[in-house]
Amino acid sequence: KQLNIYKAGGLSLDGFVHQVVTPSDTNIIMTPLPVGGFGCGGFALWDKANQKLIPPPEGTRGYVRVLANGPVRSIVQWIIPDWQLSTNTVHFTSTLSIYAGHEWAEHRIKVQGLGTRYRIATGVPSLGIESSKNEKEGWLWTLGEQVVDSRNGGTTSAPTKLGMGLLYPAGRLDTFQDSVSPDSKIGSLTVLLNPDERGEVVYRFVAVCGEGEMAMQTKGEWEQYVQITATENHTPPVINFVPQKPAKK
């Protein structure tokens, strides 16, 4: 909620946030997407009774903790100890983790006292070219184009592909709910998840540009990449410890 980036022309973050130009300044201020647009792997709560999304509290509610900040991994928490809902108050913790050598980030959400009326909502923007989802395997993805505006040089690069994906625990799926932000008019591919008995939901998300080491230009390439990653994520390796046989005399 406190993200403010000035003179942000050319940043890939353009596709994830809502841009506002202040009347008194020519700088573009980038702020988080309004509710209905999660960016890539963002979150909200879903009120089943009223059929609407509930965004995180405005302002500086809660506090942030940096648990790790090194070359191997980075972990950041956002804690809201008293998120006021219409029926009760919940204790909310968001933990974001990213590891070196991994394109996918992990988002662990824990809500204590949520009850059966609410679900945890997440998703990715509907980028406009292609999208797909698989309820059984627990993934969804979207593919679109972005244009990078080089303000200093005065030239605009050709459109390049931009893909976003989300992996979630299929057993925690409640339903899909596509939505559109009334402010930004950006559609989102939304998945509503049931937390486990501890009040937790863990999912992973990624955004890949069509250039560089992870360049993928076609729907087939992107879908195969998401499917393979989902299979690896849902079937972790198993290590069996075999007892050592006594040495022969």
Side-chain angles (χ1 to χ4, degrees), residues 44-48 50 52-57 61 80-92 111-120:
L45 296 183
W46 174 258
D47 185 343
K48 292 192 68 174
N50 295 315
K52 68 176 184 179
L53 289 167
I54 304 175
R61 294 286 298 278
I80 306 174
D82 55 351
W83 187 341
Q84 301 288 334
L85 302 177
S86 59
T87 58
N88 60 312
T89 301
V90 299
H91 186 285
F92 172 87
V111 190
Q112 297 175 334
L114 188 61
T116 59
R117 174 172 170 174
Y118 301 96
R119 299 292 182 266
I120 295 172

Short mmCIF file of all heavy atoms in Angstrom, two decimals, residues 44-48 50 52-57 61 80-92 111-120:
data_model
loop_
_atom_site.label_atom_id
_atom_site.label_comp_id
_atom_site.label_asym_id
_atom_site.label_seq_id
_atom_site.Cartn_x
_atom_site.Cartn_y
_atom_site.Cartn_z
N ALA A 44 -7.21 -10.25 -1.80
CA ALA A 44 -8.31 -9.57 -1.14
C ALA A 44 -9.11 -10.65 -0.44
O ALA A 44 -8.79 -11.84 -0.56
CB ALA A 44 -9.18 -8.80 -2.14
N LEU A 45 -10.12 -10.28 0.31
CA LEU A 45 -11.06 -11.24 0.86
C LEU A 45 -12.34 -11.20 0.02
O LEU A 45 -12.66 -10.18 -0.59
CB LEU A 45 -11.39 -10.93 2.32
CG LEU A 45 -10.23 -11.02 3.32
CD1 LEU A 45 -10.73 -10.75 4.74
CD2 LEU A 45 -9.55 -12.39 3.27
N TRP A 46 -13.04 -12.32 -0.04
CA TRP A 46 -14.29 -12.40 -0.77
C TRP A 46 -15.43 -12.67 0.21
O TRP A 46 -15.39 -13.63 0.98
CB TRP A 46 -14.22 -13.51 -1.81
CG TRP A 46 -15.52 -13.76 -2.53
CD1 TRP A 46 -16.40 -14.79 -2.29
CD2 TRP A 46 -16.08 -12.99 -3.60
NE1 TRP A 46 -17.47 -14.69 -3.15
CE2 TRP A 46 -17.30 -13.60 -3.96
CE3 TRP A 46 -15.66 -11.85 -4.28
CZ2 TRP A 46 -18.11 -13.11 -4.98
CZ3 TRP A 46 -16.47 -11.36 -5.30
CH2 TRP A 46 -17.67 -11.98 -5.64
N ASP A 47 -16.41 -11.78 0.21
CA ASP A 47 -17.58 -11.91 1.05
C ASP A 47 -18.64 -12.70 0.29
O ASP A 47 -19.24 -12.19 -0.66
CB ASP A 47 -18.10 -10.52 1.42
CG ASP A 47 -19.26 -10.57 2.41
OD1 ASP A 47 -19.87 -11.64 2.57
OD2 ASP A 47 -19.55 -9.52 3.01
N LYS A 48 -18.88 -13.96 0.68
CA LYS A 48 -19.83 -14.80 -0.03
C LYS A 48 -21.26 -14.30 0.14
O LYS A 48 -22.09 -14.44 -0.76
CB LYS A 48 -19.73 -16.24 0.45
CG LYS A 48 -18.43 -16.94 0.09
CD LYS A 48 -18.52 -18.43 0.33
CE LYS A 48 -19.48 -19.10 -0.64
NZ LYS A 48 -19.48 -20.58 -0.50
N ASN A 50 -22.38 -11.16 0.45
CA ASN A 50 -22.67 -9.97 -0.37
C ASN A 50 -22.08 -10.05 -1.77
O ASN A 50 -22.23 -9.13 -2.56
CB ASN A 50 -22.15 -8.71 0.34
CG ASN A 50 -22.89 -8.44 1.63
OD1 ASN A 50 -24.11 -8.52 1.67
ND2 ASN A 50 -22.14 -8.14 2.69
N LYS A 52 -18.92 -9.84 -2.98
CA LYS A 52 -18.05 -8.72 -3.31
C LYS A 52 -16.66 -8.92 -2.70
O LYS A 52 -16.49 -9.65 -1.72
CB LYS A 52 -18.63 -7.40 -2.82
CG LYS A 52 -18.68 -7.26 -1.31
CD LYS A 52 -19.17 -5.87 -0.91
CE LYS A 52 -19.13 -5.69 0.61
NZ LYS A 52 -19.59 -4.33 0.99
N LEU A 53 -15.69 -8.26 -3.32
CA LEU A 53 -14.31 -8.29 -2.83
C LEU A 53 -14.13 -7.25 -1.73
O LEU A 53 -14.68 -6.16 -1.79
CB LEU A 53 -13.33 -8.01 -3.97
CG LEU A 53 -13.17 -9.10 -5.03
CD1 LEU A 53 -12.43 -8.55 -6.23
CD2 LEU A 53 -12.45 -10.31 -4.46
N ILE A 54 -13.32 -7.61 -0.74
CA ILE A 54 -12.99 -6.69 0.35
C ILE A 54 -11.49 -6.45 0.30
O ILE A 54 -10.70 -7.34 0.59
CB ILE A 54 -13.38 -7.26 1.72
CG1 ILE A 54 -14.87 -7.61 1.73
CG2 ILE A 54 -13.04 -6.29 2.83
CD1 ILE A 54 -15.31 -8.30 3.01
N PRO A 55 -11.04 -5.25 -0.09
CA PRO A 55 -9.61 -4.98 -0.18
C PRO A 55 -8.99 -4.84 1.20
O PRO A 55 -9.71 -4.65 2.20
CB PRO A 55 -9.55 -3.65 -0.94
CG PRO A 55 -10.83 -2.96 -0.55
CD PRO A 55 -11.85 -4.06 -0.42
N PRO A 56 -7.65 -4.93 1.30
CA PRO A 56 -6.99 -4.67 2.58
C PRO A 56 -7.30 -3.25 3.06
O PRO A 56 -7.63 -2.38 2.26
CB PRO A 56 -5.50 -4.83 2.25
CG PRO A 56 -5.47 -5.67 1.02
CD PRO A 56 -6.70 -5.30 0.25
N PRO A 57 -7.20 -2.98 4.35
CA PRO A 57 -7.50 -1.66 4.89
C PRO A 57 -6.62 -0.58 4.26
O PRO A 57 -5.45 -0.81 3.95
CB PRO A 57 -7.21 -1.80 6.38
CG PRO A 57 -7.29 -3.27 6.65
CD PRO A 57 -6.84 -3.94 5.40
N ARG A 61 -2.37 0.73 8.14
CA ARG A 61 -2.80 -0.27 9.10
C ARG A 61 -1.80 -1.42 9.14
O ARG A 61 -1.30 -1.87 8.13
CB ARG A 61 -4.17 -0.81 8.70
CG ARG A 61 -5.29 0.21 8.78
CD ARG A 61 -5.68 0.50 10.21
NE ARG A 61 -6.17 -0.70 10.86
CZ ARG A 61 -7.42 -1.15 10.73
NH1 ARG A 61 -8.28 -0.49 9.98
NH2 ARG A 61 -7.82 -2.24 11.35
N ILE A 80 -1.59 -7.43 9.81
CA ILE A 80 -2.70 -6.56 10.22
C ILE A 80 -3.37 -7.26 11.40
O ILE A 80 -4.13 -8.22 11.22
CB ILE A 80 -3.71 -6.34 9.09
CG1 ILE A 80 -3.02 -5.83 7.83
CG2 ILE A 80 -4.80 -5.36 9.53
CD1 ILE A 80 -3.92 -5.72 6.62
N PRO A 81 -3.09 -6.84 12.64
CA PRO A 81 -3.61 -7.57 13.80
C PRO A 81 -5.10 -7.40 14.03
O PRO A 81 -5.71 -8.20 14.76
CB PRO A 81 -2.80 -6.99 14.96
CG PRO A 81 -2.40 -5.64 14.50
CD PRO A 81 -2.22 -5.72 13.01
N ASP A 82 -5.72 -6.37 13.44
CA ASP A 82 -7.14 -6.12 13.73
C ASP A 82 -7.89 -5.65 12.48
O ASP A 82 -8.39 -4.53 12.42
CB ASP A 82 -7.27 -5.07 14.83
CG ASP A 82 -6.54 -3.77 14.48
OD1 ASP A 82 -5.79 -3.75 13.48
OD2 ASP A 82 -6.73 -2.78 15.20
N TRP A 83 -7.97 -6.54 11.49
CA TRP A 83 -8.71 -6.23 10.26
C TRP A 83 -10.20 -6.34 10.58
O TRP A 83 -10.72 -7.42 10.83
CB TRP A 83 -8.30 -7.20 9.17
CG TRP A 83 -8.86 -6.89 7.81
CD1 TRP A 83 -9.94 -6.11 7.52
CD2 TRP A 83 -8.37 -7.38 6.56
NE1 TRP A 83 -10.16 -6.07 6.16
CE2 TRP A 83 -9.21 -6.85 5.56
CE3 TRP A 83 -7.33 -8.22 6.20
CZ2 TRP A 83 -9.03 -7.13 4.19
CZ3 TRP A 83 -7.14 -8.50 4.85
CH2 TRP A 83 -7.97 -7.96 3.86
N GLN A 84 -10.89 -5.21 10.54
CA GLN A 84 -12.31 -5.16 10.90
C GLN A 84 -13.18 -5.58 9.71
O GLN A 84 -13.18 -4.92 8.68
CB GLN A 84 -12.68 -3.74 11.34
CG GLN A 84 -11.90 -3.22 12.53
CD GLN A 84 -12.31 -3.90 13.82
OE1 GLN A 84 -13.43 -4.38 13.95
NE2 GLN A 84 -11.40 -3.92 14.79
N LEU A 85 -13.93 -6.67 9.87
CA LEU A 85 -14.91 -7.10 8.89
C LEU A 85 -16.31 -6.78 9.41
O LEU A 85 -16.47 -6.30 10.54
CB LEU A 85 -14.77 -8.60 8.61
CG LEU A 85 -13.39 -9.06 8.12
CD1 LEU A 85 -13.35 -10.57 7.96
CD2 LEU A 85 -13.03 -8.37 6.81
N SER A 86 -17.31 -7.03 8.61
CA SER A 86 -18.67 -6.65 9.02
C SER A 86 -19.18 -7.50 10.17
O SER A 86 -20.04 -7.06 10.95
CB SER A 86 -19.63 -6.78 7.84
OG SER A 86 -19.63 -8.11 7.33
N THR A 87 -18.67 -8.72 10.29
CA THR A 87 -19.16 -9.62 11.34
C THR A 87 -18.17 -9.85 12.46
O THR A 87 -18.56 -10.25 13.56
CB THR A 87 -19.54 -10.98 10.73
OG1 THR A 87 -18.38 -11.54 10.08
CG2 THR A 87 -20.66 -10.83 9.71
N ASN A 88 -16.90 -9.64 12.23
CA ASN A 88 -15.89 -9.94 13.24
C ASN A 88 -14.58 -9.26 12.88
O ASN A 88 -14.46 -8.56 11.88
CB ASN A 88 -15.69 -11.45 13.36
CG ASN A 88 -15.23 -12.08 12.06
OD1 ASN A 88 -15.81 -11.83 11.00
ND2 ASN A 88 -14.19 -12.90 12.13
N THR A 89 -13.57 -9.47 13.73
CA THR A 89 -12.22 -8.95 13.52
C THR A 89 -11.26 -10.12 13.33
O THR A 89 -11.33 -11.10 14.07
CB THR A 89 -11.78 -8.10 14.73
OG1 THR A 89 -12.68 -7.02 14.90
CG2 THR A 89 -10.37 -7.54 14.50
N VAL A 90 -10.37 -10.02 12.34
CA VAL A 90 -9.43 -11.10 12.06
C VAL A 90 -8.00 -10.61 12.20
O VAL A 90 -7.72 -9.41 12.10
CB VAL A 90 -9.64 -11.68 10.64
CG1 VAL A 90 -11.04 -12.25 10.51
CG2 VAL A 90 -9.40 -10.62 9.57
N HIS A 91 -7.12 -11.56 12.46
CA HIS A 91 -5.67 -11.30 12.51
C HIS A 91 -5.09 -11.82 11.21
O HIS A 91 -5.14 -13.01 10.92
CB HIS A 91 -5.04 -12.01 13.70
CG HIS A 91 -3.59 -11.67 13.90
ND1 HIS A 91 -2.59 -12.18 13.10
CD2 HIS A 91 -2.96 -10.88 14.82
CE1 HIS A 91 -1.42 -11.73 13.50
NE2 HIS A 91 -1.62 -10.94 14.55
N PHE A 92 -4.51 -10.91 10.41
CA PHE A 92 -4.08 -11.24 9.05
C PHE A 92 -2.56 -11.14 8.93
O PHE A 92 -1.95 -10.19 9.42
CB PHE A 92 -4.74 -10.27 8.07
CG PHE A 92 -4.22 -10.38 6.66
CD1 PHE A 92 -4.77 -11.28 5.76
CD2 PHE A 92 -3.17 -9.58 6.22
CE1 PHE A 92 -4.30 -11.39 4.47
CE2 PHE A 92 -2.69 -9.68 4.93
CZ PHE A 92 -3.25 -10.58 4.06
N VAL A 111 -5.05 -16.15 8.00
CA VAL A 111 -6.09 -15.31 8.59
C VAL A 111 -6.72 -16.07 9.74
O VAL A 111 -7.33 -17.12 9.54
CB VAL A 111 -7.17 -14.92 7.56
CG1 VAL A 111 -8.09 -13.86 8.17
CG2 VAL A 111 -6.55 -14.41 6.28
N GLN A 112 -6.56 -15.56 10.94
CA GLN A 112 -7.12 -16.19 12.13
C GLN A 112 -8.50 -15.61 12.41
O GLN A 112 -8.66 -14.39 12.49
CB GLN A 112 -6.20 -15.99 13.33
CG GLN A 112 -4.83 -16.66 13.17
CD GLN A 112 -3.89 -16.34 14.31
OE1 GLN A 112 -4.01 -15.31 14.96
NE2 GLN A 112 -2.93 -17.24 14.55
N GLY A 113 -9.51 -16.47 12.56
CA GLY A 113 -10.86 -16.03 12.86
C GLY A 113 -11.68 -15.65 11.65
O GLY A 113 -12.65 -14.90 11.77
N LEU A 114 -11.33 -16.19 10.46
CA LEU A 114 -12.00 -15.77 9.24
C LEU A 114 -13.45 -16.25 9.18
O LEU A 114 -14.32 -15.52 8.72
CB LEU A 114 -11.23 -16.29 8.02
CG LEU A 114 -11.69 -15.78 6.66
CD1 LEU A 114 -11.55 -14.27 6.57
CD2 LEU A 114 -10.90 -16.44 5.54
N GLY A 115 -13.73 -17.47 9.61
CA GLY A 115 -15.09 -17.99 9.55
C GLY A 115 -15.44 -18.52 8.17
O GLY A 115 -14.64 -18.48 7.24
N THR A 116 -16.67 -19.00 8.02
CA THR A 116 -17.10 -19.63 6.78
C THR A 116 -17.69 -18.66 5.77
O THR A 116 -17.94 -19.04 4.63
CB THR A 116 -18.16 -20.71 7.09
OG1 THR A 116 -19.28 -20.10 7.76
CG2 THR A 116 -17.57 -21.79 7.99
N ARG A 117 -17.91 -17.42 6.16
CA ARG A 117 -18.53 -16.45 5.24
C ARG A 117 -17.54 -15.93 4.21
O ARG A 117 -17.94 -15.52 3.12
CB ARG A 117 -19.10 -15.30 6.06
CG ARG A 117 -19.64 -14.15 5.21
CD ARG A 117 -20.35 -13.13 6.07
NE ARG A 117 -20.65 -11.91 5.32
CZ ARG A 117 -21.39 -10.90 5.79
NH1 ARG A 117 -21.90 -10.98 7.01
NH2 ARG A 117 -21.60 -9.82 5.07
N TYR A 118 -16.24 -15.96 4.52
CA TYR A 118 -15.25 -15.32 3.68
C TYR A 118 -14.31 -16.33 3.03
O TYR A 118 -14.07 -17.42 3.56
CB TYR A 118 -14.44 -14.31 4.50
CG TYR A 118 -15.28 -13.23 5.13
CD1 TYR A 118 -15.72 -13.35 6.45
CD2 TYR A 118 -15.66 -12.10 4.41
CE1 TYR A 118 -16.50 -12.37 7.04
CE2 TYR A 118 -16.44 -11.12 4.99
CZ TYR A 118 -16.87 -11.26 6.30
OH TYR A 118 -17.64 -10.30 6.88
N ARG A 119 -13.76 -15.93 1.90
CA ARG A 119 -12.74 -16.69 1.19
C ARG A 119 -11.55 -15.78 0.93
O ARG A 119 -11.66 -14.55 0.98
CB ARG A 119 -13.28 -17.23 -0.14
CG ARG A 119 -14.46 -18.17 0.00
CD ARG A 119 -14.06 -19.48 0.65
NE ARG A 119 -15.19 -20.41 0.75
CZ ARG A 119 -15.97 -20.52 1.81
NH1 ARG A 119 -15.77 -19.74 2.87
NH2 ARG A 119 -16.96 -21.39 1.83
N ILE A 120 -10.40 -16.38 0.61
CA ILE A 120 -9.22 -15.61 0.22
C ILE A 120 -9.19 -15.55 -1.30
O ILE A 120 -9.26 -16.59 -1.97
CB ILE A 120 -7.94 -16.25 0.77
CG1 ILE A 120 -7.95 -16.19 2.30
CG2 ILE A 120 -6.70 -15.53 0.22
CD1 ILE A 120 -6.82 -16.95 2.95
#
